[in-house]
Amino acid sequence: MIISPSLLACDFLNIESELLAFKDFKDTWFHLDIMDSHFVPNLTFGHPIVKLISKKTEIPLDAHFMVTNPEFYIDTFKDYNIHNFTFHIEATDNALELVRKAKKLYPSVGLSIKPKTPLNSITEELLAEIDLILIMSVEPGFGGQSFIEESYKRVEHFNKLKEKFPQLMIQVDGGVTNNNAANLKKSGANNLVAGSYIFKDGPSTYKEKLESLRR
Ligand code: DX5
Ligand code: ZN
C-alpha cells in the first residue's frame, strides 16, 4: 500500500521541513494537486513550486492535474522529476493519444475519474496502457471534503479489471481517513491519497497517521 500525502494540506510557509518530515518513511509518494481554476474552481500551484519541491526531496512525486489542457502540462512538467503524471479523463477527447505522449516522458501515467463520470469512460484500451487509475472520492477542487460512500463500488469495478490489467495501481483521493482506509484496501485500493487527515495535527503525528492508513 502506497500512501500519498497531499501537499495541498501541508504548511506551505515551511514546505522544506514538511518534505523532510517524511524522508524516512517507505512506500510514500508526495501528491501534488495542480488546479487551474478552469477545470476546477480552485487555483493551487504550478511550475515554479513543483520545480523547487523536486529539488528538495527524493520521495516520488505524484502529480494530479486538474486542468483543462493536460497536453500543455505533459510538455512543460517533464524536467521536474515527476514519477507519476495523472490527468482527468473528463478534460480531453483524445486520452489515448495523451497517455501515449505522457508515457514517453514519465515513468508512470495515470487517469483520474470524477465521482459522477461513468466508469466505462475509462475503456479497456486505456486500461491497457495506463499505470494508475485515480478514483476521486470527492468532487475535485478542494481538500477537507467528506468521502463519498459510493466510491467503494467504483474501486471494486477497477479491482475486477486488474485480472486483465495486473499492472494497474488503484489510487483513491478525497476524504481518506483511518475510518475508510481499511475498507478501501479491502475493495482493492493500493494507493491512498490523504491531505487533511495526515497534516492536520502536525509533524509529530505523521508516522502514526501513515501507519493508521495502512492497517
Ligand atoms: C481534491 C484533491 C485532493 C485533496 C485531498 O481535489 O485532489 O488530493 O488534496 O484532500 P483531503 O484528503 O483533505 O480530502
Ligand atoms: Zn489530488
Side-chain angles (χ1 to χ4, degrees), residues 54-72:
S54 73
K55 289 187 179 150
K56 294 288 178 186
T57 182
E58 300 292 312
I59 290 179
L61 299 179
D62 168 33
H64 174 197
F65 289 88
M66 287 158 274
V67 300
T68 45
N69 52 341
E71 190 162 13
F72 169 77

Side-chain angles (χ1 to χ4, degrees), residues 5-8 10-12 14-16 18-20 29-34 45-62 77 80-82:
S6 170
L7 294 180
L8 190 59
C10 83
D11 174 1
F12 264 92
N14 292 298
I15 189 148
E16 191 169 355
E18 292 281 54
L19 299 173
L20 276 174
W29 291 2
F30 279 131
H31 187 80
L32 306 169
D33 287 303
I34 320 278
F45 47 84
H47 302 76
I49 303 284
V50 174
K51 187 176 179 185
L52 291 172
I53 290 173
S54 73
K55 289 187 179 150
K56 294 288 178 186
T57 182
E58 300 292 312
I59 290 179
L61 299 179
D62 168 33
F77 271 80
Y80 304 155
N81 206 20
I82 303 240

